[in-house]
Amino acid sequence: MASVKDRQYLDHELHVALLAVQRAAILTKSVFHNHAKGTLNKSDASPVTIGDFGAQALIISALQHNFPDDEIVAEEEAKDLRGDKGQEVRETVWNLVRQTQLENVEYEGILGGSVKSADAMLDLIDKGDSQGGGKGRIWAIDPIDGTKGFLRGGQYAVCLALMIDGDVKVGVLGCPNLPISDSEPLTEGIGKDASDEEGKFGVVFAAKEGHGAFSCPLNKRGDLKVDEINMKPLENVADATFCESVEAGHSSQGDAAAIAKKLGITKPSVRMDSQAKYGSIARGAGDLYLRLPVRADYVEKIWDHAAGDLIVREAGGMVTDIEGNRLNFKLGRTLKENKGVISAPKNVHSKVIEAVKEVLGAKQ
């Protein structure tokens, strides 16, 4: 049991994480509007590469300023930006990083202000090289989760989580293309075309262990006008709206359809990229999230699930693998002991797991 002092201490972590994700999300939106429209590749010089590097640099800069002794697990490394070969992309990323800041001077100060130089930016990116594990304070970052969603102007997320001794304590997801309103129903193509309609799109989801989950509008000032979020009551699992990945290579869509049929679910699945799925079910816009193994050797990365896992659990849901085991973030940079992810309201989670086991077991 954490002490009151620990709880207060984590308030600062949560605030920094919220501000850092908001600032990084501003950069990713700028990359989309100025570099990504009409682009559908992930080459070394692609917009998603630019956005990944820039967002990661900004987040790590904020973490280093506030928590210099913490370890960081992040997806990107700066080797491709160094030297003559990386000069063009490096200069593009650097221009974005030095120009991106929160409009609120006080909040920008909390984050440590601007990165000092392009070389400092590269060094920051490379600080995400922790191997993770079950001891100490470790942050997990996915600067742009949902590559293809980002490129098509659909759903993606800027993801940040703090783990202490392998347990997720703080989680934040910035979702620039999801509706701000928690009452907006979840539909296919929601928020498509990266709409910047004022006051309608761009939301941050967050949670602190033991203190519930909430959402707030994503904005350039970093202001935090929060609303508590909760999983929607679901008496009959047949009434559920379930989410799954857009990419068939990320989750078995055929198995998901068979599981839905076994549960009596008649609504079509809502396919969307990124941890935006976790945020959507946490606030009751959807009910279930199924991520089913596509091959035996596929291993999930911790940065793809840590923040969403906590947010759903703090909103009253359960998150496990397909066997019903909690996700284990203590084993390094991957969830090597877990296969698949099942997120659902507590009262129907066991029914969903039963259906998953029946469908997947019949294939063996």
Side-chain angles (χ1 to χ4, degrees), residues 276-344:
K277 294 183 286 290
Y278 281 113
S280 293
I281 70 167
R283 65 172 169 180
D287 301 294
L288 313 177
Y289 167 29
L290 306 180
R291 187 176 176 97
L292 306 171
V294 291
R295 61 179 196 269
D297 62 345
Y298 185 79
V299 181
E300 301 282 355
K301 308 296 192 299
I302 63 172
W303 54 74
D304 285 329
H305 299 281
D309 169 82
L310 179 66
I311 290 166
V312 167
R313 290 189 291 108
E314 287 295 320
M318 288 186 68
V319 183
T320 69
D321 63 13
I322 59 174
E323 296 294 331
N325 302 311
R326 280 278 304 275
L327 303 186
N328 187 347
F329 296 96
K330 299 181 179 183
L331 303 176
R333 293 170 70 91
T334 67
L335 297 170
K336 57 187 176 184
E337 282 191 353
N338 301 112
K339 292 295 181 183
V341 178
I342 308 296
S343 301

Side-chain angles (χ1 to χ4, degrees), residues 8-321:
Q8 292 173 340
Y9 188 51
L10 289 179
D11 282 346
H12 182 53
E13 275 78 350
L14 177 61
H15 193 203
V16 169
L18 281 162
L19 295 177
V21 165
Q22 295 227 53
R23 184 169 69 170
I26 292 168
L27 181 143
T28 65
K29 290 179 68 173
S30 175
V31 171
F32 177 80
H33 289 298
N34 295 313
H35 297 271
K37 285 189 176 180
T39 301
L40 290 173
N41 64 67
K42 195 180 179 182
S43 66
D44 286 345
S46 77
V48 73
T49 301
I50 295 166
D52 273 328
F53 282 127
Q56 181 165 312
L58 285 176
I59 292 172
I60 293 179
S61 176
L63 297 179
Q64 282 282 290
H65 178 71
N66 286 277
F67 318 111
D69 296 327
D70 289 4
E71 292 187 32
I72 300 169
V73 173
E75 190 169 14
E76 306 299 334
E77 54 183 328
K79 63 180 181 180
D80 291 336
L81 297 183
R82 298 183 185 275
D84 293 340
K85 186 178 178 181
Q87 181 178 357
E88 182 180 352
V89 179
R90 179 175 67 247
E91 289 180 357
T92 301
V93 176
W94 169 236
N95 284 333
L96 283 161
V97 166
R98 66 187 179 86
Q99 292 169 8
T100 303
Q101 54 188 297
L102 297 176
E103 293 175 354
N104 185 308
V105 176
E106 178 186 354
Y107 292 161
E108 185 66 20
I110 290 173
L111 297 180
S114 301
V115 177
K116 304 308 178 189
S117 67
D119 286 341
M121 175 189 76
L122 299 181
D123 291 341
L124 286 167
I125 291 169
D126 279 338
K127 288 186 180 294
D129 63 352
S130 169
Q131 293 306 301
K135 297 294 184 183
R137 291 166 53 97
I138 303 172
W139 295 85
I141 303 170
D142 193 342
I144 294 181
D145 179 30
T147 297
K148 292 186 178 178
F150 171 74
L151 290 173
R152 72 169 68 93
Q155 294 310 320
Y156 72 97
V158 179
C159 314
L160 179 60
L162 170 64
M163 298 167 292
I164 300 180
D165 296 335
D167 293 323
V168 186
K169 302 293 187 180
V170 171
V172 179
L173 298 173
C175 302
N177 296 332
L178 275 182
I180 292 172
S181 172
D182 293 327
S183 62
E184 187 90 12
L186 194 60
T187 58
E188 198 78 51
I190 194 167
K192 66 180 181 178
D193 301 324
S195 171
D196 271 341
E197 187 176 341
E198 185 70 26
K200 188 169 183 181
F201 291 97
V203 63
V204 179
F205 301 105
K208 184 172 70 167
E209 185 188 50
H211 285 70
F214 60 88
S215 70
C216 64
L218 194 159
N219 61 88
K220 293 180 180 179
R221 285 181 53 80
D223 293 340
L224 304 174
K225 299 177 181 178
V226 305
D227 290 306
E228 183 180 352
I229 57 174
N230 293 284
M231 297 281 284
K232 183 174 63 180
L234 184 65
E235 299 303 322
N236 186 352
V237 71
D239 297 328
T241 296
F242 80 92
C243 309
E244 61 178 337
S245 298
V246 174
E247 303 301 321
H250 292 168
S251 181
S252 175
Q253 296 170 347
D255 290 340
I259 291 163
K261 183 177 180 180
K262 187 170 286 289
L263 291 169
I265 298 172
T266 57
K267 297 177 187 175
S269 69
V270 176
R271 292 176 179 173
M272 59 196 299
D273 294 283
S274 84
Q275 289 188 66
K277 294 183 286 290
Y278 281 113
S280 293
I281 70 167
R283 65 172 169 180
D287 301 294
L288 313 177
Y289 167 29
L290 306 180
R291 187 176 176 97
L292 306 171
V294 291
R295 61 179 196 269
D297 62 345
Y298 185 79
V299 181
E300 301 282 355
K301 308 296 192 299
I302 63 172
W303 54 74
D304 285 329
H305 299 281
D309 169 82
L310 179 66
I311 290 166
V312 167
R313 290 189 291 108
E314 287 295 320
M318 288 186 68
V319 183
T320 69
D321 63 13

